[in-house]
Amino acid sequence: MTIKEVSEKYGISQDTLRYYERVGMIPPVTRTPSGIRNYTDENVKWVEMALCMRSAGLPVEVMIEYLKLFQQGDETIPARLDLLTEQREVLLEQKKQIEQTLDRLNYKIARYEIAVQTGNLTWDKEFDYNDGKIK
């Protein structure tokens, strides 16, 4: 696949694809004899992984480290596992924070919906900033 085809398929710019390759988020892309990028199935899998990880909020540095470890071979499997496990913990904490924020937002929306019907805005619960829960 050409860089244009990959760009269109995944809805990202060609510059982003070049950046991913330049900084080491994906391995060097296969080139034609004339030097044009020719994305193989393996290259595309790396692009997909990079996009997935970035959409999940993983830092560029984590992807670069993961690729470096991968390229060093199977002896880095434990290190790759640790890296991915750490990132999962970060994502789980972010998910917890998002869920707490949604709980608070849903409570406020419910109270405002009642206020629209009754003409009176009241709060029968409080938000505890320490544990992120509505009480």
Side-chain angles (χ1 to χ4, degrees):
M1 294 177 78
T2 66
I3 193 169
K4 180 180 180 192
E5 292 169 328
V6 174
S7 171
E8 290 173 354
K9 179 176 181 176
Y10 295 104
I12 59 172
S13 72
Q14 294 177 31
D15 286 340
T16 298
L17 289 167
R18 288 185 199 97
Y19 170 76
Y20 284 179
E21 183 180 359
R22 185 176 69 249
V23 300
M25 282 180 62
I26 62 173
V29 175
T30 307
R31 304 272 183 146
T32 65
S34 59
I36 296 171
R37 285 176 176 84
N38 180 29
Y39 286 79
T40 64
D41 289 343
E42 187 66 24
N43 296 138
V44 170
K45 287 178 186 176
W46 277 101
V47 169
E48 289 174 352
M49 181 171 178
L51 293 173
C52 175
M53 296 300 176
R54 289 298 295 143
S55 71
L58 268 67
V60 169
E61 296 78 18
V62 171
M63 283 297 304
I64 293 168
E65 180 64 20
Y66 179 83
L67 177 58
K68 284 179 184 175
L69 290 169
F70 179 84
Q71 290 172 327
Q72 291 172 18
D74 286 350
E75 65 273 5
T76 66
I77 287 174
R80 285 183 268 161
L81 173 61
D82 289 345
L83 187 140
L84 294 174
T85 302
E86 288 171 18
Q87 292 309 305
R88 179 180 60 195
E89 291 305 314
V90 169
L91 288 174
L92 286 171
E93 181 58 33
Q94 290 173 354
K95 178 182 174 187
K96 177 182 169 189
Q97 291 173 2
I98 289 170
E99 288 171 349
Q100 289 172 350
T101 302
L102 279 171
D103 287 346
R104 184 173 189 193
L105 185 59
N106 287 335
Y107 171 71
K108 285 187 165 286
I109 289 170
R111 299 312 301 173
Y112 276 96
E113 288 173 343
I114 291 169
V116 166
Q117 294 172 0
T118 65
N120 186 23
L121 180 61
T122 61
W123 304 100
D124 61 356
K125 298 179 183 176
E126 290 182 22
F127 184 80
D128 185 337
Y129 286 94
N130 293 322
D131 69 6
K133 298 194 186 285
I134 296 172
K135 296 183 179 198

